[in-house]
Amino acid sequence: MTPGRPVPPPLAHSIPAADEPTATEAEAGGTGVRAAAYGAVSGDSGLVPLTVARRAPKPDDVEIAIEFCGLCHSDVHATRGEWGGQAYPLVPGHEIVGTVSRTGSNVTGFAVGDRVGVGCMVDSCRECESCLDGLEQYCENGMTGTYGAKDRRNGDAITQGGYSSSIVVDRRYVLRVPESLDPAAVAPLLCAGVTTFSPLRHFDVEEGDVVGVVGLGGLGHMAVKLAKAMGAKVVVFTTSESKVAAALELGADEVVLSRDEAAMAAANRTIDLIIDTVAAPHDLNPLFRTLRVDGALFQLGLPSEAMPPVNPGALIRRRIAYAGSLIGGIAETQEMLDFCAEHGVVADIEMVAADQLNEAYDRMVAGDVKYRFVLDTSTLQAADQEADA
C-alpha cells in the first residue's frame, strides 16, 4: 500500500477562454427537447412531475436518453432545502446511465446508441491546476454539479439532474459504461462507487492489505466490494449486530462490533486503511487505535453536526493520516467503471418507479434500503410545470 498514488491522466483538456466566441444552438444545427422529470418545487413539496427544457446539443455536447438514475442521500438534503438556500424547481439525480441519442459536430468519442453515464459533475473550469491534473472534483473555481448549480457556459441556467428522460452534457464529463455490466446497477457506481474507489486507489490498496470499512450503507457496501476486488482483507466495523450477516454476505472477512470494547481491543494495530462512511457524529479515536503505523482513515461521510474531538496523540504515535476525499475526477471515474467491469462489481439495488420516489426518500432517511435505490426513468410522465436547464 503506497500513499499518494498518481491519478490517471485527465480526460478533459483546456478550452478557449470564456470571452472567446462559442457555437450557438443555431450553429449547432439542432433544437432542444422537453423531457419528463420528477423534482421539487419547494423544500416541502416532495417530488412531483415536472417538464425540463433541455438545450440543443452544442458542438461538444452529448444528448443522452436516460434509462436509470440512482438515488443518493444528498438528493434528499438538496430537494428538502436542508443544505441552505436552494433554487426551485429542482430536478435531482447525479447517478445517470443511458444511451446517446445525439452528438454535437465535434464529438468523436461517442456515437448514437452507446451506453454512457454521467456522475456528480457536468463541468469545471478546465484551466486550474486541479482540472489539468484530472482532479476536476477539486476545481479551484468550483465544479458545476449535475443539478442545482449555475451552468456558467450556458447562461447561468440552473442544472437539472437525472430524474428525467434526457440530459445534455459536454463530452468531457460523459463516461463510457461497459456493456458487460447491468446498467441499472451501474448507476450508483457514478457516486457511491467512485467515492469509495478513489481513496482505495489513492492508497494503492493491493493483496495483503487490510481495509476497515465503517458503516454498511450505500457507500459502505461499495467499499467492501471494491476493496475485496483489489485483493484486500476487509474488516467491517458496525454498531449493529443485525449488520454482521449482511457484511459477511457482501464479502467481508471479519466484522467487529465497535461497541464491544474487547473486540475493539483485539483489533488494535491490525488495519492499514479505514474507509469511514458514517454520516452521523461518532468518536474516531477508538478507530485510530486499530490502525498500524502509517495507516490512514479516510472520512467520506459528512455529519450534519460536530464530531467528537480527535486526539492528536493517536495520530502522532503511529504516524497516522486523517484525510477526506470527494468523489473522483472524470478519468478516475472511468478507471473505476473499467475496474468494475473487469471484476464484475456493481451495486446492490432496489428499483423504484417515479411514483415511489417520495416513499423511497423516506426509506433512505430511515436506512431501509439494501443498498441503493435506482429510478427506472421509463416510468416518468410529462407534466405542465417546467424547470429550464
Side-chain angles (χ1 to χ4, degrees):
M1 183 172 69
T2 304
R5 169 190 174 273
V7 296
L11 298 183
H13 301 289
S14 299
I15 62 167
D19 57 354
E20 293 184 25
T22 57
T24 63
E25 290 187 3
E27 290 169 334
T31 58
V33 299
R34 298 190 182 278
Y38 256 63
V41 294
S42 69
D44 58 4
S45 70
L47 297 171
V48 298
L50 296 171
T51 298
V52 177
R54 299 296 191 187
R55 69 176 184 268
K58 295 180 179 181
D60 285 321
D61 282 343
V62 176
E63 182 184 74
I64 301 165
I66 300 174
E67 299 171 292
F68 306 103
C69 186
L71 278 59
C72 179
H73 209 119
S74 60
D75 300 347
V76 179
H77 293 307
T79 56
R80 293 181 176 178
E82 295 171 351
W83 281 347
Q86 180 63 65
Y88 294 100
L90 178 68
V91 176
H94 57 210
E95 301 175 349
I96 299 167
V97 172
T99 57
V100 176
S101 53
R102 280 192 293 178
T103 63
S105 58
N106 291 344
V107 176
T108 58
F110 301 100
V112 171
D114 287 352
R115 180 158 281 127
V116 295
V118 176
C120 300
M121 58 184 155
V122 292
D123 204 355
S124 61
C125 81
R126 312 179 201 172
E127 297 172 346
C128 70
E129 184 175 350
S130 292
C131 286
L132 296 177
D133 283 345
L135 296 168
E136 298 94 341
Q137 76 273 35
Y138 302 120
C139 176
E140 293 153 33
N141 296 299
M143 70 174 181
T144 302
T146 304
Y147 65 84
K150 286 186 178 181
D151 189 346
R152 291 167 291 191
R153 298 182 207 276
N154 292 283
D156 281 345
I158 301 300
T159 56
Q160 306 290 351
Y163 296 9
S164 170
S165 57
S166 72
I167 194 169
V168 178
V169 178
D170 186 285
R171 62 179 175 80
R172 299 167 181 84
Y173 301 83
V174 178
L175 291 308
R176 300 180 302 278
V177 172
E179 289 294 334
S180 62
L181 297 177
D182 174 2
V186 164
L189 300 183
L190 297 165
C191 177
V194 72
T195 296
T196 49
F197 181 87
S198 186
L200 291 168
R201 270 295 193 235
H202 184 73
F203 260 72
D204 203 15
V205 169
E206 59 189 1
E207 188 172 357
D209 291 331
V210 181
V211 174
V213 177
V214 183
L216 199 66
L219 288 174
H221 98 287
M222 288 308 312
V224 171
K225 290 189 175 193
L226 289 167
K228 284 297 295 182
M230 292 175 183
K233 175 182 176 180
V234 176
V235 179
V236 169
F237 293 88
T238 179
T239 60
S240 175
E241 291 189 23
S242 64
K243 296 287 184 74
V244 173
L248 295 172
E249 183 180 345
L250 284 168
D253 297 283
E254 295 179 18
V255 182
V256 175
L257 292 172
S258 54
R259 291 177 177 168
D260 184 334
E261 292 184 6
M264 290 296 289
N268 184 42
R269 293 181 182 263
T270 62
I271 309 293
D272 294 300
L273 174 68
I274 292 176
I275 303 296
D276 188 338
T277 70
V278 175
H282 56 291
D283 188 359
L284 298 175
N285 294 296
L287 294 169
F288 289 138
R289 289 192 285 271
T290 70
L291 288 168
R292 294 171 173 155
V293 172
D294 285 333
L297 186 151
F298 267 92
Q299 187 76 45
L300 302 184
L302 184 61
S304 58
E305 300 174 11
M307 294 272 282
V310 168
N311 175 13
L315 308 180
I316 292 169
R317 284 191 292 271
R318 299 183 193 174
R319 199 162 60 184
I320 287 170
Y322 176 37
S325 185
L326 175 68
I327 55 174
I330 298 301
E332 188 170 46
T333 305
Q334 187 64 60
E335 181 191 16
M336 178 272 304
L337 289 170
D338 295 340
F339 176 89
C340 287
E342 180 182 355
H343 295 275
V345 174
V346 290
D348 287 11
I349 66 168
E350 179 179 337
M351 199 81 75
V352 295
D355 61 5
Q356 297 173 307
L357 283 169
N358 289 303
E359 177 188 357
Y361 271 25
D362 290 338
R363 287 180 57 193
M364 274 199 289
V365 172
D368 179 24
V369 55
K370 289 181 64 176
Y371 287 92
R372 298 288 279 204
F373 287 117
V374 173
L375 169 65
D376 176 357
T377 63
S378 70
T379 63
L380 294 168
Q381 295 181 343
D384 293 334
Q385 288 180 298
E386 184 169 309
D388 290 330

